[in-house]
Amino acid sequence: MSKKVRWGILGVAKIAREQVISALKGGELTDVVAIASRDRNRAQDAAAEFGLPKAYDSYEALLADPEIDVIYNPLPNHLHAPLTIKALDAGKHVLCEKPIALNAEEAQQIEAAQKKSGKLVAEAFMVRFHPQWQRAREIVRSGRLGDVRAIHTFFSYHLTDPDNIRNQPGIGGGGLYDVGCYAIATARYIFGADPERVIGVFDRDPAMRTDRLASGLAEFPSGRHLAFTCATQLVPTQRVQIAGTRGRLEIQVPFNPRRDQPTRLMIDDGRDLIGGGAETEEFPPTDQYQRQGDAFSRAILEGSSLEFPMADAIMNMRVLDALFRSEESKAWEVV
C-alpha cells in the first residue's frame, strides 16, 4: 500500500512521547501529523521534538481537524471513554490506551458511539502484535505443550510519587487498571476463551488509596486457570509461565521488551527441574507499537474488521469489574 493513514496524538503523555509517536512515524502505513495539549507550549515543544507539522492547544481543535483520520488517546484513564467518544462523534477512528474505560458500562458507551459513527476503535494492547506472543499462542494451539491448563503472570514496578497519575485513585490509578489488565487480556488471548468467575485480593496504599498490590485467580472453561500478581511498589519484574500437561512455555520479557533487542521464549518439556529439556526461540528486535499502528491503519485502508474489536475490550473490562467487586465481597464473583 502506498497510502498512509494520518494520525493525531491526543495529549503529551509519557507513553506517547517515549514509545508511540516515534513508532508511528516509522510505520509503513502511519503518518503522525498533529498533537494536542491543553498547554500550548507543551504541544508546540512535542511537535518540534518529533517534527510534526501541527500543534493544537485544545483537544477539541485536534478532533476538528479534517486532515486527521485516526486519534491516538493516551490520556489518563478517566479520560479514555469521554475523549474516545468525542473523537468518534467527530468522525475519527480511535486507538485508545488500556484500560479503554473505567468499567464495562463506559466501554459499552464507546461501542454505541462506534456503531453510530461507523469508525473503528480498539484498545491498545500492543503485546498482541508482538511476534513472541503470536508464536506463544501458535505453540499452545499446536498441542506441543499438551493440554494447557494454567497461566501464571507477574507484572510489577516501583512508583511512589503521589503526583503521578498512576497513584491517583480518582482518575483511574492503581495497579490493576495499569498492569493487571495485561494479565487478563493475554490469558484470554492464549486460552482463546473468557473467564467465568474471578477472585481477587488487594493491598491499598494507606495514603494514596490506590491498589499497590493485587493478586487474582480467574477460572476459565474446561478447568483452566490464570493466577496473577500485579504491583506498583515492588521491584520491577515481568514474567509469564504457560503450563500444559506435556510442556511449559516462559515468556521472559512479556510486556515491555526493548525495540532494539531480541526477545526469547523458553519451551521446556519438563524432563527434569534444571532445564534439561529446555529449548529457546529467539525473535529479532521489533517495535510492537509500530506493528500495532500498522495493523490498525491497514484495517482502515482495507475496510476490514479488527481482530480485537470493542467486544473484546468490553469483556476485559467486565473481568476487571468483577475483580474490584471481589475486593468488596471477599468472594468469587461471576464475570
Side-chain angles (χ1 to χ4, degrees):
M1 295 181 182
S2 58
K3 184 179 178 181
K4 289 192 173 186
V5 174
R6 300 166 298 181
W7 289 67
I9 311 300
L10 200 62
V12 292
K14 181 179 179 181
I15 189 173
R17 291 181 285 106
E18 294 188 357
Q19 300 288 350
V20 177
I21 296 176
S22 59
L24 293 175
K25 282 179 64 66
E28 178 187 357
L29 304 175
T30 54
D31 184 20
V32 184
V33 299
I35 190 166
S37 172
R38 289 173 293 188
D39 182 323
R40 179 186 296 273
N41 290 334
R42 295 189 72 192
Q44 291 176 340
D45 289 347
E49 178 184 354
F50 292 100
L52 309 182
K54 299 179 183 181
Y56 291 109
D57 61 2
S58 74
Y59 302 147
E60 291 74 19
L62 179 72
L63 300 184
D65 187 338
E67 296 184 345
I68 294 174
D69 305 307
V70 186
I71 295 296
Y72 168 64
N73 181 355
L75 294 170
N77 292 344
H78 71 300
L79 296 178
H80 286 177
L83 268 297
T84 293
I85 290 171
K86 283 187 177 181
L88 291 166
D89 290 344
K92 312 299 186 187
H93 306 279
V94 184
L95 179 66
C96 181
E97 268 305 326
K98 51 74 203 163
I100 201 165
L102 294 181
N103 51 57
E105 182 179 357
E106 283 190 354
Q108 289 173 314
Q109 293 170 4
I110 295 174
E111 184 181 47
Q114 179 260 318
K115 290 180 177 178
K116 181 180 178 182
S117 70
K119 301 299 180 179
L120 297 180
V121 60
E123 189 172 23
F125 277 113
M126 72 292 181
V127 295
R128 297 184 295 202
F129 298 90
H130 197 291
Q132 67 174 354
W133 276 100
Q134 294 170 345
R135 176 59 177 153
R137 183 171 67 169
E138 182 181 81
I139 290 171
V140 168
R141 290 179 172 179
S142 75
R144 180 176 174 182
L145 305 181
D147 183 10
V148 171
R149 297 177 182 171
I151 298 175
H152 284 188
T153 300
F154 200 103
F155 194 171
S156 65
Y157 57 88
H158 196 276
L159 178 67
T160 56
D161 178 6
D163 294 326
N164 190 286
I165 60 172
R166 291 171 177 81
N167 286 328
Q168 298 179 24
I171 60 173
L176 186 61
Y177 276 139
D178 191 40
V179 293
C181 61
Y182 282 101
I184 304 304
T186 52
R188 294 175 53 236
Y189 178 80
I190 291 296
F191 282 143
D194 299 318
E196 297 174 331
R197 63 175 186 157
V198 297
I199 189 167
V201 290
F202 293 74
D203 175 57
R204 292 188 176 269
D205 185 281
M208 296 182 291
R209 301 309 304 161
T210 50
D211 56 292
R212 62 184 179 183
L213 177 64
S215 297
L217 292 173
E219 185 178 56
F220 286 74
S222 303
R224 294 171 292 173
H225 296 167
L226 162 69
F228 75 91
T229 292
C230 62
T232 65
Q233 294 181 23
L234 291 181
V235 61
T237 306
Q238 297 184 19
R239 280 294 188 274
V240 169
Q241 300 273 358
I242 302 170
T245 52
R246 294 200 304 271
R248 173 179 67 89
L249 185 152
E250 178 178 337
I251 306 178
Q252 295 180 350
V253 187
F255 306 114
N256 299 123
R258 290 180 51 165
R259 68 183 75 184
D260 60 348
Q261 293 183 354
T263 55
R264 297 176 184 84
L265 302 181
M266 188 275 290
I267 304 99
D268 190 345
D269 65 13
R271 68 184 64 176
D272 59 41
L273 297 177
I274 58 173
E279 299 178 6
T280 300
E281 291 192 16
E282 184 171 289
F283 304 85
T286 191
D287 190 326
Q288 58 188 348
Y289 295 96
Q290 187 177 100
R291 297 171 70 96
Q292 175 182 245
D294 275 337
F296 194 78
S297 296
R298 184 173 292 106
I300 293 170
L301 293 171
E302 295 179 348
S304 57
S305 58
L306 297 170
E307 182 179 2
F308 308 105
M310 271 306 302
D312 179 89
I314 291 170
M315 175 53 70
N316 224 60
M317 290 311 309
R318 284 178 175 157
V319 179
L320 298 184
D321 288 351
L323 284 162
F324 282 125
R325 291 198 306 272
S326 178
E327 179 184 14
E328 298 297 323
S329 70
K330 304 186 186 308
W332 287 93
E333 292 285 344
V334 174
V335 175

